[in-house]
Amino acid sequence: MKTRFNTLSAAGLAALLAVSGYAVADDDHHKIAAIAQTKVTPAQAIATAQKQAGGQATEIQLEGKYGMPVYHVEVRNGQQEHDVYVDAVSGKVIGSKVETEWKPARKAAVPLERALQIAQGAVPGRVMDAERDDNYGRLVYKVDILGSNNVPHKVIVDASNGKVLNSFVDYDD
């Protein structure tokens, strides 16, 4: 009975992983399709979102939802976290929402838009996503780029000095 339960659990886990892998692949497919439609650069979307929210961008994601590409830009202003949605074709703000976080975000010496430039200098291509993250006390940007050869890459940029810490092909994301 115990062996049968373990076999069923393993089969269930395998099915869940297969479905999750499909979801990730499907999400990448939507991002790649969205990139082809964009006329607005990530830097332009960040500038628009920062003007709307009055803070510093910490994250940007290109989403290909409902047949249109949209940048989801997270902007922090003290304890306020603004989610600003920018149409990636027209550059207009199409929505936003505000939440209060329990603590203010750490300040980065290197702004997100500069980190994107640095990452694209290391790996030429189109930015799909970028986020600021705290890796063991070190503030970094993790930038996902669809390389000019249509291969996904991840570039890690130090948020304190702009140095590229790592760059690799990233089929998992």
Side-chain angles (χ1 to χ4, degrees), residues 9-150:
S9 296
L13 180 59
L16 179 63
L17 290 173
V19 170
S20 298
Y22 177 76
V24 169
D26 192 44
D27 188 43
D28 282 348
H29 173 71
H30 288 293
K31 286 180 186 175
I32 292 168
I35 283 175
Q37 298 175 26
T38 62
K39 294 184 179 164
V40 175
T41 67
Q44 291 168 323
I46 289 168
T48 299
Q50 289 178 156
K51 183 177 179 184
Q52 170 87 12
Q56 184 181 31
T58 59
E59 185 172 319
I60 186 168
Q61 297 176 350
L62 179 61
E63 300 173 353
K65 294 190 176 191
Y66 310 113
M68 64 186 271
V70 174
Y71 287 110
H72 172 196
V73 184
E74 182 180 290
V75 179
R76 292 293 300 263
N77 188 352
Q79 287 183 253
Q80 297 291 307
E81 180 180 285
H82 300 258
D83 290 318
V84 182
Y85 299 89
V86 179
D87 184 312
V89 176
S90 72
K92 294 181 181 176
V93 174
I94 57 174
S96 66
K97 65 180 181 179
V98 180
E99 297 176 359
T100 300
E101 293 295 322
W102 66 278
K103 68 178 185 175
R106 287 177 53 193
K107 295 280 184 191
V110 176
L112 177 60
E113 51 270 41
R114 179 68 185 126
L116 299 182
Q117 292 173 341
I118 293 166
Q120 286 181 301
V123 177
R126 303 282 303 266
V127 172
M128 294 190 296
D129 296 319
E131 68 176 325
R132 195 164 73 186
D133 197 10
D134 190 339
N135 279 5
Y136 306 105
R138 176 183 244 170
L139 202 56
V140 299
Y141 291 104
K142 296 178 179 177
V143 183
D144 294 329
I145 295 178
L146 183 63
S148 55
N149 53 0
N150 284 333

